[in-house]
């Protein structure tokens, strides 16, 4: 009776042996936040406003020793465990009900090694934390396109961004990681050390342990690059898409462009008479000689009158944060993905139809151009499987009101379900996973069994479950 009206966090806390939390706190250097604490409401919130979970303990780690303590505590007390990197995975797996959150937000240190041309990044850093430091040296590593997202989630599941076609996925640029495995041990994994673990960490989506530090290769980038961002009328979609596909067939690696269908936002950068109308837009960048940028993008511009052209030279760090405001904390989100071997007419038609029927004008259907350096790495070289697919289709449902949840989630889910009926579409990307409703095998293709073997070896009790990745053979569902 005592637990009636209590949250899952309060109930789990009450069920722990007396003194357990106190002795955990005594050894913990960071902050331990419990349901009764004033910061609890704030620290249990993540980017996706759809997620409303009540953990028993939020362990805001100060360093690797804190992570070890939290992992050991979860295992010893049989508590569910969630790991929070940047807190931006749409499925909300950074937080759990009635368990412990290993919150790495305060572990966001970044250190560039100029001689080795590498960067060390702690497990809770955001993309902005990294670009800010690396750009001081005129260097960068491939990351995603919104600066507030977490390096950890992005990298552990792949990592596509402006630099990907030139330098590979974020995970392709990893030299080594430090990881706390389920037994509480700290291991270093690289090509030479714990190579099997290193294989699984690169694509396994956090299934094998908590990564406390990443070491990435760096490349010379910027500081000034050319941003390509242009909006066109929806009626021109078919013609523009034809040109886009021709362009992607032999685009230089220094350039990358994503095409999406959307509604024109009611922002001052756009003519007022166009606000709310269906549109097709292209967003990308060119990092070669800036004098060549107009020539590089001309084929994409010719023949259609733009609604707005927001292109121009800018600092790479600004390019990496130019979309931040479009994805505020607390809005409601459902994003889902499927890979494409080809963009057939049916795909283009699907994009246009779903944009017209979207319950929210904030939603988009995105076509990512992949390939390049990503496709040059053999598919069994890391746990990340879908390297051979030149495109990815994602449905981004973005809306404001809880009353509209069902309609918006159904829109994204139906869009991917319809796409999956097309012969050109298959698989899914762990960083745009819907609510993790699909089988993990879809992400890992022929790498699945090897990853399950590793999971069984390193995490037989599935302590790091709940993130949509593989389960060990021994786990009982
Ligand atoms: P979190 O929600 O903190 O973590 C997600 C899961 O990752 C956790 O449940 C845990 O299992 C695991 N995890 C997190 N940290 C660790 C760790 N240190 N060790 C072990 N496991 C860990 N993706 C792209 O590829 N390219 C893009 O351009 C891109 N743009 C995006 C823009 C926005 C606005 C958003 C919200 C997402 C975007 N994404 C993009 C997807 C993004 O990569 C994923 O949401 C990613 O999972 C976010 O990482 P995170 O650390 O913030 O995740």
């Amino acid at each position: 009776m005592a637990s009636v009206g209590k949250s899952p966090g309060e109930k789990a806390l009450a069920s722990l042996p007396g003194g357990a939390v106190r002795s955990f706190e005594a050894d913990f250097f960071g902050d331990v936040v419990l349901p009764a604490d004033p910061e609890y409401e704030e620290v249990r919130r993540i980017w996706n406003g759809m997620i409303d979970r009540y953990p028993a303990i939020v362990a805001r780690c100060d360093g690797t020793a804190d992570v070890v303590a939290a992992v050991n505590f979860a295992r010893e007390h049989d508590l569910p465990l969630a790991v929070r990197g940047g807190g931006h995975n749409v499925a909300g797996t950074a937080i759990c009900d009635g368990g412990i959150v290993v919150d790495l937000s305060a572990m966001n240190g970044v250190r560039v090694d100029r001689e080795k041309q590498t960067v060390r990044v702690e497990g809770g850093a955001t993309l902005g934390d990294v670009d800010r430091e690396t750009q001081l040296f005129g260097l960068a590593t491939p990351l995603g396109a919104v600066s507030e997202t977490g390096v950890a989630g992005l990298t552990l599941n792949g990592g596509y961004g402006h630099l990907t076609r030139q330098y590979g996925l974020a995970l392709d640029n990893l030299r080594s990681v430090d990881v706390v495995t389920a037994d509480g041990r700290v291991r270093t994994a690289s090509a030479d050390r714990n190579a099997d673990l290193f294989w699984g960490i690169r694509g396994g989506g956090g299934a094998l342990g908590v990564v406390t530090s990443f070491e990435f290769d760096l490349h010379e980038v910027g500081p000034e690059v050319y941003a390509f961002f242009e909006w066109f009328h929806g009626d021109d979609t078919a013609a523009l898409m034809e040109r886009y596909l021709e362009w992607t067939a032999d685009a230089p690696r220094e350039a990358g462009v994503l095409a999406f269908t959307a509604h024109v936002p009611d922002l001052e950068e756009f003519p007022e008479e166009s606000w709310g109308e269906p549109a097709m837009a292209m967003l990308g960048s060119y990092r070669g000689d800036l004098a060549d940028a107009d020539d590089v993008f001309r084929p994409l511009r010719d023949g259609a009158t733009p609604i707005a052209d927001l292109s121009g030279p800018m600092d790479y760090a600004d390019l990496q944060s130019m979309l931040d405001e479009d994805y505020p904390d607390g809005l409601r989100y459902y994003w889902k993905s499927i890979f494409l071997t080809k963009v057939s007419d049916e795909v283009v038609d699907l994009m246009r139809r779903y944009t017209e029927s979207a319950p929210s004008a904030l939603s988009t259907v995105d076509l990512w151009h992949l390939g390049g350096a990503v496709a040059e790495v053999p598919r069994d070289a890391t746990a990340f499987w879908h390297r051979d697919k030149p495109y990815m289709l994602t449905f981004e449902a973005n809306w404001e009101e809880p009353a509209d949840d069902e309609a918006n989630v159904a829109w994204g889910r139906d869009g991917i379900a319809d796409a999956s009926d097309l012969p050109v579409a298959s698989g899914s990307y762990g960083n745009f996973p819907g609510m993790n409703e699909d089988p993990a095998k879809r992400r890992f293709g022929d790498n699945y069994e090897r990853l399950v073997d590793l999971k069984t070896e390193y995490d037989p009790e599935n302590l790091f479950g709940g993130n949509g990745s593989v389960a060990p053979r021994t786990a009982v569902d």
Side-chain angles (χ1 to χ4, degrees):
M1 285 302 288
S3 66
V4 170
K6 287 190 168 168
S7 74
E10 290 166 321
K11 282 185 204 165
L13 202 58
S15 72
L16 289 170
V21 174
R22 206 163 312 126
S23 66
F24 172 63
E25 279 178 303
D27 256 357
F28 197 84
F29 277 27
D31 292 329
V32 175
V33 182
L34 304 176
D37 291 330
E39 324 81 294
Y40 180 76
E41 263 316 294
E42 194 192 326
V43 301
R44 77 178 186 87
R45 295 282 171 197
I46 52 173
W47 166 76
N48 188 351
M50 283 258 283
I51 309 300
D52 186 21
R53 297 193 185 127
Y54 293 83
I57 300 172
V58 179
R60 312 203 83 197
C61 301
D62 201 34
T64 302
D66 279 354
V67 175
V68 170
V71 165
N72 286 340
F73 189 83
R75 194 189 57 249
E76 283 158 15
H77 296 285
D78 207 13
L79 277 180
L81 178 150
V83 183
R84 180 186 179 131
H88 271 64
N89 191 291
V90 75
T93 52
I95 208 94
C96 59
D97 266 332
I100 183 164
V101 176
V102 180
D103 183 337
L104 304 176
S105 316
M107 289 175 59
N108 63 351
V110 176
R111 183 165 187 327
V112 172
D113 185 326
R114 192 201 288 256
E115 295 309 314
K116 279 168 65 189
Q117 213 158 302
T118 59
V119 62
R120 263 274 161 213
V121 179
E122 279 191 297
T126 63
L127 313 195
D129 292 332
V130 179
D131 287 329
R132 186 161 186 265
E133 295 296 324
T134 58
Q135 277 293 281
L136 292 174
F137 300 87
L139 301 168
T141 196
L143 296 169
V146 173
S147 80
E148 290 161 2
T149 53
V151 171
L154 176 104
T155 304
L156 297 171
N157 281 303
Y160 295 114
H162 287 284
L163 307 182
T164 309
R165 295 188 62 257
Q166 197 171 4
Y167 299 120
L169 296 164
L171 62 77
D172 292 330
N173 288 272
L174 271 181
R175 281 205 182 183
S176 70
V177 291
D178 288 340
V179 56
V180 179
T181 44
D183 53 8
R185 280 180 59 192
V186 185
R187 301 168 201 256
T188 297
S190 67
D192 305 322
R193 203 164 167 183
N194 293 312
D196 56 345
L197 185 59
F198 192 51
W199 179 91
I201 278 174
R202 289 173 296 160
L208 302 176
V210 185
V211 177
T212 53
S213 144
F214 299 85
E215 185 190 14
F216 292 99
D217 276 325
L218 290 169
H219 311 274
E220 284 176 21
V221 176
E224 202 172 42
V225 299
Y226 185 89
F228 175 65
F229 196 19
E230 198 152 341
W231 287 68
F232 300 92
H233 298 281
D235 289 347
D236 292 328
T237 301
L240 282 164
M241 198 59 90
E242 207 176 305
R243 229 162 291 141
Y244 172 72
L245 295 174
E246 273 170 29
W247 184 87
T248 56
D250 56 8
R253 290 206 175 173
E254 297 84 9
V257 174
L258 172 150
F260 61 97
T261 48
H263 288 86
V264 178
D266 48 359
L267 296 174
E268 61 180 358
E269 290 88 343
F270 298 86
E272 202 167 333
E273 64 275 14
S274 70
W275 289 359
E277 78 169 72
M280 176 178 156
M282 292 187 248
L283 167 72
S285 66
Y286 179 64
R287 284 100 38 205
D289 187 339
L290 295 193
D292 298 336
D294 280 337
D295 288 341
V296 169
F297 293 119
R298 182 164 301 115
L300 295 172
R301 291 183 157 128
D302 277 356
T305 310
I307 299 171
D309 186 354
L310 311 174
S311 313
M314 66 169 68
D315 282 350
Y316 176 74
D318 292 336
L319 172 76
Q320 287 289 87
S321 57
M322 69 186 265
L323 302 177
D324 286 7
E325 282 179 13
D326 296 338
Y327 303 105
D329 286 355
L331 207 72
R332 308 176 86 76
Y333 301 98
Y334 177 86
W335 295 3
K336 201 166 178 182
S337 56
I338 195 159
F339 289 98
L340 301 170
T341 50
K342 186 178 163 223
V343 181
S344 57
D345 291 347
E346 288 88 348
V347 173
V348 178
D349 183 54
L350 193 88
M351 290 177 73
R352 211 180 34 202
R353 269 191 297 119
Y354 269 90
T355 301
E356 277 166 14
S357 69
S360 165
L362 300 175
S363 298
T364 63
V365 186
D366 304 353
L367 185 63
W368 298 63
H369 177 213
L370 314 174
V374 179
E376 280 168 359
V377 178
R379 283 188 294 179
D380 60 0
T382 69
F384 184 90
W385 177 251
H386 293 286
R387 294 178 177 279
D388 55 330
K389 315 294 187 309
Y391 300 97
M392 176 172 69
L393 185 70
T394 56
F395 277 71
E396 278 191 17
N398 312 317
W399 69 101
E400 284 166 347
E401 297 299 329
D404 300 331
D405 286 358
E406 209 178 309
N408 283 283
V409 171
W411 175 81
R413 216 167 253 171
D414 291 350
I416 291 295
D418 275 1
S420 67
D421 287 340
L422 302 174
V424 294
S426 63
S428 77
Y429 177 42
N431 275 327
F432 299 129
M435 287 293 157
N436 282 327
E437 58 270 40
D438 293 333
K441 197 160 198 303
R442 206 169 282 185
R443 284 186 206 172
F444 299 111
D446 288 359
N447 285 334
Y448 178 77
E449 295 297 336
R450 182 171 172 192
L451 190 58
V452 171
D453 285 345
L454 282 169
K455 177 76 174 174
T456 309
E457 182 183 346
Y458 285 100
D459 186 16
E461 302 300 324
N462 207 12
L463 189 65
F464 305 112
N467 51 24
S469 189
V470 297
R473 295 188 202 286
T474 45
V476 180
D477 287 331

